[in-house]
Structure formats: structure tokens, C-alpha cells
Amino acid sequence: ALEFARFDTEPPRGLHALALSIQGSLVHAVGGLDHRRAGLLRGLAVGDVTALDDDTEAALRRAGLSHLLAVSGSNVAIVLGAVGAATSFLGARLRIVAAAGSLGLYVLVVGPDPSVLRAAAMGAIGLAALAAGSRAEPLQALGLALSALLALRPGLVFAVGLHLSVAATAGIVVWGPSLARRWSRRLPVPAAVGLAATVAAQAAVAPILVLTFGELSLAGLPANALALVAVPPATICSLAAGVVGAWSPTGGEGLARTAEPFAAWILWVGDTFGRARWATVSLPSWCGLVLGIAAGVGIVVALRSGSAR
């Protein structure tokens, strides 16, 4: 018993200590901001929602924006993209090593939630494919990541967070490219890609939301389309505030100030749409089954037509 007590009270070392330092420096960096904006930035960066009040969380949920507070594939993509851009002067192998190290550290910082593990596994598969000089097919990577996670932690098969994460990813992979190509004829390519990913993800998770929670967000599509532009800069700046703040608290606070306007915009979108009476609609479970069948048919049609490529 004394040995276990000694082990439990030992201070963390190495990467665990660095992860805790980043968590603490992020809290310090946003400490001087408006409390709602600070809470949102912590949620965007590392999924920490302890500083968000219940009214704000409810508004974001009704607006279909609560997924922004759950670390998932978009966060991993933002982290890997930022690391790739920051190390662009290095050779390909060193950039892959830097990306892999950053991905592992990020998982330590945010914790092993189901959506995080799924996204990290897919990111690791993609990096391994790059190192081997090939390209990972997204659906294959999703299948491999899901198989590995369930083999290691079978209990995750019942995790709603994993269900939503996998469904959103599958929707983006299957429907996103064809929607983006279609809409890029009328919209700038970045806007078309972002809107396509939003629509595809919302359509894919709708059956699960109805079956699990008995409600569907009608405000989700317009709210996500408006908030989309502010999510990457807010996430990158708040993450950078945590990392830089571990060595320079003043630098971390400056980066947090840079992220504040983007957080304010996301909160405005959440308040505007989430507090509208029409934001959500309650539906019986059979509607979720109907939506699930429709989504399944849509996936099969897209795969057979080859549009998912």
C-alpha cells in the first residue's frame, strides 16, 4: 500500500509533465479574457469545458456547435497542418517525425477520449503512409483506426462520442468531395470545401442525434457555416498560447488575445442561433431510423457512383 501511495504521489515526468504544463499555461493565458471567451478557447483547444457556464453550453448545443468543444478529427487536422507549415523548411522525414511527436503530445494534453483516439489513429495511419511514400485512402484509414481502437478497448463500441465521430468522418469522406466540386463552381474553393464538409457531417450524424437525444438541430447548418471561418484561427492561437505560455507567460497571453475576437464571433453565432425558438426540433426515435436508412442508401449510392474518390 505504501508503495502504491508513493507511486501515486510522484510528480509527472517527461512528456506527461510537459502536457500538464501546456494545460496549465493555457488556463493562465486565457485567464485575463472575458470568462465566456476564455472557456470557449479552452474547449476549442483541448476539449476542456469546465469553465463554460450551462447557458453557453446549451446555446452551443441547440445551435449544433457543441461538437466544437469535443476534440476530434478537425483538431488533429489543424494541429498537423500547423506543424507541417511551421516545419516546411525541413526535409520530408523530419517533418513527419515532428508531426508524429506533436500528435502524440496533443493526445496526452487532451486525454484519451473516444473521438480523440479515433482521430489520432487515423492521423497516425496517414503519417505512416506518407513515410512509406504512399497515400492512405480515408475510408480504409477509418476502418483500420476503428478496428484497432475496438481491439484495444472493446467498451468503446458503446461510446456515443465514437459513434458521432465515425459517422461525421464517414460523411465527410463519402459526400464531401462531390459536394465541394459542385459548389466550387459558384463559391471560392475554401468556402465550398468547408461548407461541403459541414453539410456532409451534419447529415451523417443526424440519425444518431435523433436516436440518442431525441432532437435535431435545425440551426446546425447555418450556424456551422458562419462559425467555420473562425474555428481554425481560434484553435491554432489558443493551442499556441498554451505551448508558448509554458515558456513565456507573456507570449501566451498575447496569443490568447489574438484568439479572442474569433471566440467572440463563435459565441455570437451560438447565441443568435441557439437561443432561437426554432433552433431544435424534438423527434421520435423512428425518425432516427428513417434518417439512418436514408443515410445508408446515400452512402451506398455515392460509393457505387465513385463520387467518394
Side-chain angles (χ1 to χ4, degrees), residues 215-309:
E215 66 177 24
L216 184 66
S217 174
L218 300 180
L221 183 56
N224 276 275
L226 287 173
L228 179 67
V229 66
V231 173
T235 304
I236 291 172
C237 289
S238 53
L239 274 173
V243 174
V244 172
W247 287 273
S248 171
T250 303
E253 292 171 5
L255 286 166
R257 292 285 181 189
T258 303
E260 187 176 18
F262 300 105
W265 171 255
I266 296 170
L267 286 170
W268 179 84
V269 173
D271 291 341
T272 301
F273 286 90
R275 291 173 181 172
R277 292 184 178 181
W278 53 269
T280 60
V281 58
S282 298
L283 295 173
S285 58
W286 63 264
C287 289
L289 294 174
V290 172
L291 290 173
I293 293 171
V297 171
I299 288 175
V300 171
V301 170
L303 291 174
R304 298 193 69 171
S305 67
S307 63
R309 295 199 203 100

Side-chain angles (χ1 to χ4, degrees), residues 7-218:
F7 178 79
D8 289 342
T9 56
E10 279 187 353
R13 300 176 180 176
L15 290 177
H16 288 282
L18 178 58
L20 289 175
S21 176
I22 292 173
Q23 290 177 352
S25 63
L26 174 60
V27 173
H28 175 79
V30 302
L33 306 182
D34 169 81
H35 74 280
R36 295 180 74 221
R37 298 172 186 177
L40 179 65
L41 289 176
R42 287 168 60 179
L44 288 172
V46 298
D48 179 8
V49 297
T50 56
L52 276 178
D53 59 272
D54 293 340
D55 288 342
T56 299
E57 283 198 76
L60 292 172
R61 177 182 56 79
R62 285 174 54 82
L65 297 175
S66 58
H67 65 92
L68 299 178
L69 307 176
V71 176
S72 60
S74 60
N75 299 73
V76 169
I78 288 171
V79 169
L80 293 181
V83 171
T87 58
S88 58
F89 60 93
L90 299 175
R93 291 189 179 277
L94 288 177
R95 293 178 71 191
I96 292 173
V97 171
S102 301
L103 179 59
L105 178 60
Y106 186 60
V107 172
L108 286 177
V109 171
V110 302
D113 290 335
S115 60
V116 176
L117 294 176
R118 192 277 309 161
M122 287 192 68
I125 291 169
L127 290 175
L130 284 175
S134 60
R135 180 179 179 274
E137 290 295 333
L139 282 180
Q140 293 177 1
L142 177 60
L144 285 173
L146 187 59
S147 300
L149 286 181
L150 294 180
L152 293 173
R153 295 179 60 182
L156 288 179
V157 72
F158 301 108
V160 176
L162 184 62
H163 302 165
L164 292 170
S165 178
V166 171
T169 304
I172 291 171
V173 170
V174 174
W175 295 323
S178 60
L179 291 175
R181 283 193 299 270
R182 196 170 300 173
W183 292 339
S184 62
R185 300 166 189 165
R186 299 183 179 180
L187 297 172
V189 173
V193 171
L195 183 59
T198 298
V199 172
Q202 292 287 314
V205 301
I208 300 174
L209 292 174
V210 174
L211 284 170
T212 306
F213 304 108
E215 66 177 24
L216 184 66
S217 174
L218 300 180

